[in-house]
Amino acid sequence: MTERELFDAYNKDVYRTCYYMLRNKQDAEDICHDVFVTIFRQDWKDVEHTRAWIMRIAMNHCLNLLKRNQTQREKQEQIQWSHEQTTASVKSIDTILLEKTVAAEWEELLKQLPDKLMAVVTLRYIGELSMVEIAEILKIPVGTVKSRLHKALKILRKKLESNNNSWLKGENQFGTL
């Protein structure tokens, strides 16, 4: 496999993971570039589990950037979904509004998770990786991956339930309705 073939094979996965971890298009592009620079500077042809190795490098780069920019992370803009632009003409305005609201709510919930939990959730549901692959990427035991995923889902479930109760009572983030 050539460097170009390796890049073509894994670029989208790396970018998608970086994008969901960092929630910023420019940062995701920069980290994606850095990941492949790191890969090509190493002896990548001898790596046995290439995808897991590449995703571990990507995740480490993302976590390092999050640590450096922890205070700025809260200020980042919400995710802009590019696929909405192409489907907007087919969907009703109500559907588009509902989808944007739901996406914004999920992003807000994910932002509230600690970085370690967010990493596991992102790799599992955005990166569609197995528990074993996540464990390899993060260099933690599979049991830790499972417990972090369970804890993250439990936190998200509680937050969703409290949000639903607030909406049922006529409240929202801006006060009562």
Side-chain angles (χ1 to χ4, degrees), residues 37-152:
V37 167
T38 301
I39 290 167
F40 296 144
R41 286 184 177 166
Q42 297 181 19
D43 194 12
W44 57 271
K45 292 182 181 181
D46 295 333
V47 175
E48 186 176 345
H49 301 287
T50 307
R51 184 172 191 255
W53 179 69
I54 290 172
M55 297 307 286
R56 180 183 328 126
I57 292 170
M59 187 56 60
N60 286 340
H61 275 72
C62 289
L63 290 172
N64 288 340
L65 182 64
L66 286 172
K67 287 176 187 174
R68 284 192 305 264
N69 298 327
Q70 194 164 10
T71 56
Q72 294 177 357
R73 186 176 66 153
E74 297 166 0
K75 298 176 185 176
Q76 291 180 350
E77 297 178 2
Q78 293 183 346
I79 294 175
Q80 296 296 321
W81 298 101
S82 62
H83 71 275
E84 290 178 357
Q85 301 298 325
T86 58
T87 58
S89 60
V90 180
K91 297 178 183 176
S92 71
I93 293 175
D94 290 339
T95 303
I96 294 168
L97 183 61
L98 181 62
E99 287 175 353
K100 285 185 178 187
T101 303
V102 169
E105 288 174 5
W106 274 108
E107 180 180 345
E108 190 59 38
L109 286 172
L110 285 174
K111 271 191 210 178
Q112 295 174 18
L113 288 175
D115 291 343
K116 289 179 178 182
L117 300 182
M118 181 178 58
V120 172
V121 171
T122 300
L123 289 171
R124 180 71 178 125
Y125 296 109
I126 307 303
E128 299 176 356
L129 297 173
S130 70
M131 300 287 184
V132 173
E133 290 172 318
I134 296 169
E136 287 178 23
I137 289 167
L138 298 177
K139 294 183 181 178
I140 57 176
V142 175
T144 304
V145 172
K146 289 178 181 179
S147 67
R148 286 182 184 176
L149 185 60
H150 177 75
K151 185 174 182 177

Side-chain angles (χ1 to χ4, degrees), residues 17-24 27-28 31 62 65-66 76:
T17 299
C18 292
Y19 184 76
Y20 279 97
M21 282 298 296
L22 303 172
R23 295 182 193 87
N24 181 294
D27 286 346
I31 294 296
C62 289
L65 182 64
L66 286 172
Q76 291 180 350

